Amino acid sequence: MKKGEKLIWKYSKLPWWKNWKRSHYANKLMKLDAALSRFFQVNAQALSLRNGMETLKAVNYLCSQMSLVGMNGGMLCAVPRPPDFTVGLDVSLKELKMQLQRVEVSLLVLTAPGGCGKTTLVKMLCQDEEIKGKYVDNIFFVHFTKTPNLKVIVRNLLHHNGCQVPEFQSDEEAITQLEHLLIEIRQKNPILLILDDVWSGSESLLEKFKFHIPDYKILVTSRTAFPRFNCRYNLKPLKEEDAMILFRHSAILSDGSSDIPDEDIVKQVVKFCGGFPLALQVIGRSLCGEPAVTWRKRVKDWSSGHLILDYDSELLNRLKSSVEFSDKKVKSEYETSSYNMILLRELAIHESSQEEIEQREKVIIDISGNNRPKWWTELKQQPISARLLSISTDEMFSSSWCNIQAPELEVLVLNFQTKDYTLPHFVQCMEKLKVLIVTNYGFFPAELGNFQLLASVPHLKRIRLQKVSIHSLFKTPVKLTTLEKISLFMCNIEKNFTNCSIPISDLLPNLREIHIDYCKDLVELPPGLCDIVGLVKISITNCHKLSALPEGIGKLRNLEVLWLRSCINLLELPESIRYLHKLSVLDISDCLSISKLPKYIGELCNLKELHMDGCLNLRNRLPPSTIKLGALKLVVCDEERANLWEHIKVFHMVDTCLEIKVIKKDNNLNWLFNPA
């Protein structure tokens, strides 16, 4: 551009009689114009695309890291969104807001029985424009739980605010750090700290969160009124009109149609729910689509003295269904949403009053410190008949286990918060155990001891580990010959996979599925994994340091599903992938560094789905062999990648019903300002 400016300046200074000079400068300007055109058509676009690639890569990486941070602390301390449908809480919202804004109020307790909508009301409060305008990004949501851990709560608050998280030696040290944090962030905006679901007996812990900081308020939700604190708001059940609206909404079929009987029956059902939103929603869903005769039978039975949760087992079984498993087959995943967790707690309370511990099918134990339930120490040698056992411990637990006999147990769930955790010795006696789920809710990855006990479990099929150091598992390698599925979530892997003294194919000879998600230090897969020829599914997602797959992956002749989503540094797929003739689903979505598909991808004769949206570096023409993908039914991609498939669709070897599904992505950071 500077050169052009100089030429034009010289051209404008020429006298009219020097036409030959004008022609000379005109030719130079035409050449310069052509060069500029080439630059803006090719070089500038390439530079722009490269810069865009780097920016989007950074954004995608940031998104994935923020997602990881969210899971690391249950969305850390961001306020969850309220439900899409709420009713009857507008007046309570205004009253709660007015009481919270009073100058003299520093700690306000929102109290009501379980299922009344306390947490929903708080979520709505945090969406209020005036509240958001006052506190901005200084609203923090902490789920307290029955056995709260002060150090973990403070760590999450520090991490949420981008601070370095130290190892606290005591609760006092943690509280001191929290006070320093609050004083610092108060300089920008007032602070609202929400402590949700605080259980009875936690008054002394609540006191620790009180500081003499201007415009710092604490909002507590609890079933307990806490007489020690005089500022309270009592949330009442819904009025009949609002209860009817919520119930009808819950009882409507998913397609919007309704088989709800006459008004009189509906009113009777709603009356038995007592205005409790949780009961209205659960009962509404349980009756959704049922004939009128079922509705009348329910009303008749409740009228004769049956409790809602005692109703024959129909409603109770529906509540249990979120965690129940079939008599013939263990449920493949033990998953609970936040809604199911509420139900689980309600069921645990109900069942504890209905059955002796020895007779329950599900036993749920919360241990605070080393204070085991009284019944556990009293059982002595008497076995329990549970098929699902869940044991949760806090940061003070010493891994000193009492014996427990559970000969019928099929699912064992262990939740803990310590940096070192030892599997209970009684695991080795659980001959029917099929599923083991070990979840570390602490801040740091944990070392897991006694893993070798699992070698004595003859029918173990599935293991899921969360935030565990895999190093502890390979110190004494354990052969798990019956294991079919292993899931590693947020685990520290390092080089333990590849440095193991025994080939992984010997340790896990019958493995059919492996899931690795958010394992941030996974760089490569062990070549020995490719010797487990029975593998049917490999899922490696959000592992940002993974740069290559082993060339021997072609030996996995039974592999049907290969997921590699959001492995942003994975450079390419090995050419040996051509030998995976049973592969039906391949997902490389958001693998930002992959620039080409394998040359012989067309030899994947059974490939039915290919997901490649967000592969921003994949811009070259698809390999000629792509036209041989005759079984391909669905390609999911973004608009730019969709253009690469246009010429493929015209060839007869690709089925005419091939669907190109275009995903439109909005790569921006606006979502960061809406943490829900």
Side-chain angles (χ1 to χ4, degrees):
M1 293 298 294
K2 289 182 178 178
K3 187 185 291 184
E5 184 181 12
K6 187 176 180 180
L7 284 171
I8 291 171
W9 183 82
K10 289 183 177 180
Y11 183 89
S12 63
K13 296 296 182 180
L14 287 175
W16 62 267
W17 63 84
K18 291 190 176 180
N19 284 334
W20 61 274
K21 275 279 187 181
R22 290 178 182 272
S23 175
H24 170 74
Y25 282 116
N27 288 334
K28 283 194 171 187
L29 285 170
M30 289 176 66
K31 288 180 180 178
L32 179 61
D33 180 66
L36 286 171
S37 297
R38 283 195 303 273
F39 175 79
F40 284 108
Q41 290 173 8
V42 181
N43 302 67
Q45 287 191 29
L47 285 169
S48 176
L49 188 58
R50 186 193 71 182
N51 293 337
M53 278 281 296
E54 293 299 321
T55 302
L56 288 174
K57 185 174 180 179
V59 169
N60 275 275
Y61 180 74
L62 177 59
C63 293
S64 61
Q65 289 297 296
M66 289 298 291
S67 299
L68 175 59
V69 166
M71 286 177 289
N72 192 34
M75 290 301 294
L76 278 184
C77 304
V79 183
R81 278 187 178 280
D84 293 332
F85 184 83
T86 58
V87 65
L89 293 175
D90 291 343
V91 174
S92 296
L93 178 61
K94 291 179 181 177
E95 293 175 348
L96 179 67
K97 177 180 168 183
M98 288 177 60
Q99 195 161 343
L100 183 68
Q101 289 178 321
R102 286 163 48 195
V103 176
E104 67 273 18
V105 173
S106 60
L107 189 151
L108 174 62
V109 178
L110 169 59
T111 183
C116 260
K118 300 183 294 294
T119 301
T120 297
L121 181 60
V122 167
K123 293 175 184 177
M124 293 173 64
L125 176 72
C126 295
Q127 292 293 319
D128 180 85
E129 291 300 324
E130 188 176 353
I131 294 295
K132 289 196 296 185
K134 178 177 181 179
Y135 296 100
V136 194
D137 53 357
N138 276 358
I139 305 178
F140 309 115
F141 186 95
V142 174
H143 185 68
F144 229 56
T145 76
K146 185 178 180 180
T147 56
N149 186 299
L150 181 61
K151 292 194 275 288
V152 171
I153 292 173
V154 175
R155 284 173 188 155
N156 285 337
L157 285 166
L158 288 170
H159 197 174
H160 181 92
N161 285 279
C163 303
Q164 187 174 358
V165 181
E167 275 272 26
F168 298 126
Q169 302 302 315
S170 64
D171 285 357
E172 289 69 25
E173 182 184 353
I175 284 297
T176 300
Q177 288 287 335
L178 177 60
E179 184 177 17
H180 291 162
L181 169 68
L182 296 176
I183 291 173
E184 181 181 347
I185 62 177
R186 171 59 191 91
Q187 296 176 14
K188 296 181 180 178
N189 298 293
I191 301 169
L192 176 59
L193 175 62
I194 298 163
L195 303 178
D196 182 54
D197 194 23
V198 178
W199 286 56
S200 176
S202 298
E203 294 95 329
S204 59
L205 189 56
L206 287 178
E207 291 280 5
K208 294 180 182 294
F209 288 89
K210 296 176 68 176
F211 303 105
H212 295 290
I213 300 175
D215 285 327
Y216 165 55
K217 293 181 182 288
I218 302 173
L219 177 57
V220 174
T221 71
S222 179
R223 299 182 180 197
T224 305
F226 296 124
R228 184 185 301 185
F229 307 111
N230 56 8
C231 296
R232 288 186 295 275
Y233 180 83
N234 298 307
L235 178 62
K236 296 178 175 61
L238 295 177
K239 295 179 180 178
E240 183 181 359
E241 181 182 353
D242 294 324
M244 290 283 288
I245 295 172
L246 179 59
F247 178 80
R248 286 183 172 278
H249 176 80
S250 303
I252 291 175
L253 296 169
S254 57
D255 61 2
S257 61
S258 172
D259 289 332
I260 298 177
D262 59 79
E263 188 79 1
D264 184 56
I265 294 179
V266 174
K267 284 185 176 180
Q268 292 182 64
V269 174
V270 169
K271 181 181 178 181
F272 282 110
C273 293
F276 285 70
L278 178 64
L280 289 162
Q281 290 172 302
V282 172
I283 299 291
R285 288 169 188 166
S286 72
L287 289 171
C288 178
E290 295 289 342
V293 64
T294 301
W295 290 61
R296 293 190 182 96
K297 186 176 184 299
R298 292 280 184 92
V299 171
K300 181 181 178 181
D301 288 348
W302 290 335
S303 300
S304 62
H306 288 275
L307 296 176
I308 287 182
L309 284 179
D310 290 336
Y311 183 76
D312 280 340
S313 76
E314 288 185 28
L315 174 59
L316 191 57
N317 284 338
R318 287 180 184 270
L319 293 176
K320 286 180 178 180
S321 64
S322 62
V323 294
E324 192 59 270
F325 43 85
S326 159
D327 288 337
K328 297 182 179 179
K329 182 180 179 183
V330 176
K331 190 179 179 185
S332 23
E333 297 289 343
Y334 180 81
E335 298 175 335
T336 52
S337 65
S338 58
Y339 180 76
N340 288 337
M341 289 302 291
I342 296 172
L343 299 185
L344 184 63
R345 175 176 160 187
E346 298 298 321
L347 286 171
I349 295 171
H350 172 76
E351 290 185 346
S352 65
S353 63
Q354 300 298 311
E355 294 178 315
E356 293 295 330
I357 192 72
E358 299 91 338
Q359 306 303 320
R360 297 182 202 168
E361 283 207 348
K362 292 190 299 294
V363 174
I364 301 164
I365 305 171
D366 283 325
I367 299 177
S368 177
N370 291 303
N371 301 317
R372 299 165 190 81
K374 186 178 179 181
W375 62 260
W376 193 347
T377 57
E378 291 177 348
L379 274 177
K380 297 182 180 178
Q381 300 303 315
Q382 188 173 354
I384 61 174
S385 58
R387 294 170 57 223
L388 183 149
L389 173 62
S390 172
I391 304 176
S392 299
T393 55
D394 61 17
E395 198 178 47
M396 304 306 294
F397 183 64
S398 65
S399 288
S400 176
W401 295 99
C402 288
N403 189 38
I404 189 169
Q405 296 183 48
E408 302 299 318
L409 196 72
E410 297 181 19
V411 178
L412 177 60
V413 181
L414 300 172
N415 304 315
F416 67 97
Q417 299 180 24
T418 52
K419 287 189 68 177
D420 295 287
Y421 185 77
T422 303
L423 292 181
H425 58 274
F426 50 75
V427 169
Q428 59 188 330
C429 301
M430 296 175 173
E431 294 188 353
K432 293 187 178 181
L433 186 65
K434 297 178 181 178
V435 178
L436 174 65
I437 301 169
V438 182
T439 303
N440 171 18
Y441 286 107
F443 199 85
F444 301 100
E447 295 286 328
L448 190 62
N450 273 357
F451 198 74
Q452 71 278 4
L453 297 178
L454 299 180
S456 303
V457 182
H459 302 293
L460 188 60
K461 302 292 184 185
R462 302 171 188 271
I463 293 178
R464 184 185 188 275
L465 304 176
Q466 176 172 328
K467 211 184 296 184
V468 169
S469 174
I470 302 302
H471 167 72
S472 56
L473 310 186
F474 285 95
K475 286 189 293 188
T476 306
V478 181
K479 290 187 178 182
L480 302 174
T481 56
T482 61
L483 197 69
E484 296 179 356
K485 178 177 179 179
I486 186 168
S487 300
L488 306 175
F489 180 67
M490 296 173 65
C491 290
N492 278 12
I493 293 180
E494 297 175 353
K495 295 185 178 181
N496 294 293
F497 265 165
T498 53
N499 292 344
C500 184
S501 58
I502 301 177
I504 192 171
S505 56
D506 290 345
L507 299 178
L508 307 170
N510 293 302
L511 194 67
R512 293 175 59 81
E513 294 186 28
I514 182 168
H515 295 249
I516 304 176
D517 191 24
Y518 282 104
C519 295
K520 60 183 181 180
D521 60 353
L522 178 67
V523 177
E524 58 181 341
L525 291 178
L529 189 69
C530 303
D531 294 325
I532 308 177
V533 293
L535 270 173
V536 174
K537 182 176 181 179
I538 296 178
S539 173
I540 307 172
T541 52
N542 302 294
C543 296
H544 303 305
K545 290 187 178 180
L546 181 69
S547 58
L549 299 179
E551 187 62 35
I553 198 171
K555 294 187 289 185
L556 298 175
R557 56 181 178 270
N558 293 303
L559 195 66
E560 297 177 7
V561 178
L562 179 58
W563 285 350
L564 302 167
R565 179 180 291 268
S566 297
C567 295
I568 61 175
N569 281 309
L570 183 62
L571 296 174
E572 61 182 2
L573 300 175
E575 289 294 341
S576 64
I577 199 175
R578 62 193 289 192
Y579 301 117
L580 302 179
H581 293 157
K582 289 189 178 181
L583 191 69
S584 60
V585 179
L586 174 61
D587 189 342
I588 57 172
S589 302
D590 296 315
C591 290
L592 306 180
S593 300
I594 290 181
S595 60
K596 62 178 181 178
L597 295 180
K599 182 177 181 181
Y600 298 106
I601 193 172
E603 296 185 20
L604 298 177
C605 55
N606 200 44
L607 189 66
K608 295 180 177 62
E609 292 184 21
L610 175 58
H611 299 254
M612 50 188 296
D613 53 299
C615 295
L616 303 181
N617 206 31
L618 185 59
R619 301 188 302 273
N620 297 323
R621 193 180 182 93
L622 299 177
S625 70
T626 309
I627 64 173
K628 297 180 181 180
L629 294 172
L632 193 62
K633 303 294 183 185
L634 175 66
V635 174
V636 180
C637 57
D638 49 60
E639 290 188 44
E640 185 176 353
R641 259 47 63 183
N643 296 330
L644 301 176
W645 285 91
E646 289 304 319
H647 76 285
I648 298 294
K649 292 184 68 175
V650 303
F651 290 92
H652 68 279
M653 294 190 71
V654 175
D655 198 296
T656 54
C657 66
L658 172 63
E659 179 187 358
I660 308 296
K661 185 176 181 180
V662 177
I663 303 294
K664 293 186 178 181
K665 286 196 173 183
D666 183 16
N667 284 294
N668 62 62
L669 296 179
N670 292 338
W671 61 274
L672 285 172
F673 304 101
N674 191 1

